[in-house]
Amino acid sequence: MLAPEVEALPWAEQLVIDDQSYRAQLGYLFERSAFYREKLTAAAIASADAAGGLDGIARLPLTEKSELKATATAENPFGSHFCSDPSEIVRIYSTSGTTGTPSYLPLTSSDLENWITGSARSYAASGVVAGQRIVSTYNAAFERIGLCHVPVGTGNTERLLLAIELLRPEAAVLTPSYAAYLVESALEKGMDLRESSIESVLVAGEPGGGEAAFRAKLEEAWGARVTEAMGIGDIGPSLWGECEEQDGMHLGARGFVHPELIDPGTGEALELDDGAAGELVLTHLRHQAAPLLRFRTRDHVEVRTSPCPCGRTGPRVRCVGRTDDMLIVRGVNVFPSAVREVVSGFAPDVSGNVLVRPSAPGVKQEPPLAVSVELAQDASDDPLLAQAIRERIRAVLVVQTQVELVPWGSLQRSEYKSKLLER
Ligand SMILES: [Zn+2]
């Protein structure tokens, strides 16, 4: 543990500290954030005192990404939740999002420091230690852990494989899609990643790393342990990280961010109880530049609260999918990533690539739901296999599907994030 005095603190004590930070953050929002002053006043909460502490946070309105974007102007590209003086900003990140125009995320030096601290804890949970080398396709706080960071740009597979071969890093950080893609690319070049120096693969950037079958496939192909990490662009690049127990991600950014769970349909708050599932909502506790209150992450997670043998405390989460990708088939919530997880159980007959093809626009669908399942490289079309997959999906996810087996290589591979849903 990078900071045992923080990471192993009983969660109830963490919440006492967080309550103080939260009250101070609310005061700051009322003082500096035009966006939240207006939003909270409209919700009949006229002051920080009226909002109260963390135990009353569920009474406050949720924040949607679209609301923030709507307030960005040419004069203030950050949006009206920007609280600092521009001269205090030391870094500006941008996220592409799905709608095209980027969101800009300003950070003060204090924000950056907190961001690095939380990020370092969440990556260190995976077991990587000072003195090792880590190759990655993006920037993160690896130096804080004492790792030697080898950044390699996105989409440069040749260079990444060469870095693994020549620099012999112990760890790699990738999206799960890219980790799967690299296995195929390496094999085409006659390189077996199982023989490489990589002992740990840290996956982040999209759901999938926590899916048992998908993880097992990656671990087998890389000959390495696979752990998952998760960030949310508007809140922090890496907030959660899985430990070597591989049973859900710990909140590395504890003390800086407060997690909540809601029902994505009604917005109603849910308890962070063991086994609970819903959309993750996050609140900044000590943020200066553009703090967010009850921000809807659109990530659908499952909660674990059983004690973790690693000693880290607090609720853990496993990301099941994006709320935006969720379909409702005759009243049953279905995530394309969950379909992939069930299908991956049919390896080695299938490649693990799937595409869910809803027939109607919108969330609500009539069964059967069309699913294309890609066969493994040497497998041939087998009606019995399609039937077995259909039955397993029905048993596990309680949804009727129409499974179409498609040849190896016909579904799109991604060097970044997989598209599991076709609209
Ligand atoms: Zn743990």
Side-chain angles (χ1 to χ4, degrees):
M1 259 184 259
L2 278 189
E5 71 286 2
V6 179
E7 294 175 78
L9 190 72
W11 189 245
E13 288 177 38
Q14 181 70 56
L15 289 178
V16 172
I17 298 169
D18 290 353
D19 184 68
Q20 292 304 311
S21 307
Y22 170 71
R23 288 170 191 266
Q25 183 87 81
L26 277 173
Y28 182 86
L29 291 177
F30 271 100
E31 192 190 317
R32 301 237 197 161
S33 173
F35 180 85
Y36 281 113
R37 213 163 32 232
E38 199 175 305
K39 189 175 172 73
L40 292 170
T41 306
I45 296 158
S47 67
D49 285 344
L54 272 183
D55 57 354
I57 193 171
R59 290 186 293 114
L60 272 49
L62 295 159
T63 303
E64 302 270 1
K65 174 143 182 138
S66 55
E67 290 176 83
L68 299 170
K69 286 193 97 160
T71 68
T73 60
E75 292 73 38
N76 179 5
F78 305 128
S80 67
H81 61 304
F82 180 56
C83 294
S84 293
D85 187 274
S87 67
E88 296 169 314
I89 300 306
V90 298
R91 196 174 289 188
I92 300 170
Y93 284 104
S94 54
T95 60
S96 58
T98 46
T99 49
T101 46
S103 293
Y104 292 108
L105 312 165
L107 298 176
T108 66
S109 58
S110 156
D111 295 341
L112 184 61
E113 171 58 28
N114 294 345
W115 200 331
I116 290 171
T117 302
S119 184
R121 282 184 211 146
S122 59
Y123 280 118
S126 72
V128 290
V129 292
Q132 293 183 327
R133 283 186 183 159
I134 190 162
V135 65
S136 84
T137 51
Y138 51 83
N139 281 315
F142 304 121
E143 291 85 354
R144 179 64 62 93
I145 305 170
L147 294 166
C148 167
H149 184 197
V150 185
V152 176
T154 323
N156 200 331
T157 299
E158 197 84 23
R159 201 154 68 147
L160 185 61
L161 290 176
L162 207 57
I164 291 174
E165 201 178 321
L166 299 178
L167 300 177
R168 305 192 56 75
E170 286 88 351
V173 182
L174 311 154
T175 62
S177 296
Y178 195 38
Y181 175 91
L182 272 177
V183 171
E184 290 180 12
S185 302
L187 282 176
E188 279 167 21
K189 292 173 174 50
M191 179 177 172
D192 187 348
L193 288 171
R194 281 176 300 187
E195 309 292 316
S196 80
S197 57
I198 302 287
E199 297 160 10
S200 308
V201 177
L202 285 69
V203 294
E206 62 173 357
E211 291 170 22
F214 186 70
R215 189 201 305 260
K217 189 180 134 188
L218 281 185
E219 292 198 323
E220 152 73 17
W222 279 82
R225 191 179 52 233
V226 172
T227 55
E228 193 179 18
M230 178 170 78
I232 287 93
D234 301 75
I235 300 283
S238 183
L239 303 166
W240 303 82
E242 210 173 27
C243 69
E244 293 166 88
E245 301 295 327
Q246 299 177 309
D247 186 28
M249 295 176 274
H250 293 282
L251 180 59
R254 57 190 289 167
F256 308 124
V257 168
H258 175 71
E260 282 182 275
L261 198 66
I262 62 162
D263 177 316
T266 63
E268 189 195 335
L270 304 170
E271 291 296 323
L272 283 170
D273 290 334
D274 202 48
E279 183 181 332
L280 187 64
V281 165
L282 296 173
T283 294
H284 278 130
L285 294 171
R286 304 171 65 174
H287 213 61
Q288 293 179 334
L292 297 177
L293 182 65
R294 305 199 78 211
F295 180 71
R296 293 191 65 163
T297 66
R298 300 278 163 190
D299 282 317
H300 202 89
V301 301
E302 281 173 6
V303 178
R304 311 254 197 285
T305 60
S306 54
C308 189
C310 78
R312 291 177 182 83
T313 55
R316 307 189 294 288
V317 300
R318 203 200 119 187
C319 186
V320 182
R322 297 280 300 160
T323 304
D324 297 338
D325 287 346
M326 190 178 83
L327 300 169
I328 301 175
V329 185
R330 283 235 176 109
V332 176
N333 297 352
V334 181
F335 288 93
S337 47
V339 172
R340 176 175 65 184
E341 180 165 10
V342 173
V343 171
S344 296
F346 288 85
D349 293 330
V350 299
S351 74
N353 294 309
V354 303
L355 189 63
V356 175
R357 305 171 184 269
S359 54
V363 174
K364 292 209 166 94
Q365 302 293 323
E366 279 302 309
L369 184 66
V371 179
S372 296
V373 173
E374 192 182 272
L375 289 162
Q377 198 155 15
D378 308 316
S380 53
D381 198 338
D382 177 358
L384 288 177
L385 176 63
Q387 190 189 336
I389 293 173
R390 203 162 51 235
E391 283 169 5
R392 181 89 60 88
I393 294 174
R394 176 142 195 207
V396 177
L397 303 176
V398 203
V399 61
Q400 278 196 55
T401 53
Q402 164 123 35
V403 171
E404 180 203 9
L405 299 175
V406 299
W408 162 265
S410 54
L411 295 184
Q412 189 200 340
R413 283 359 180 215
S414 171
E415 294 187 24
Y416 188 44
K417 297 185 187 187
S418 290
K419 191 170 152 242
L420 301 178
L421 195 62
E422 184 180 74
R423 286 290 191 185

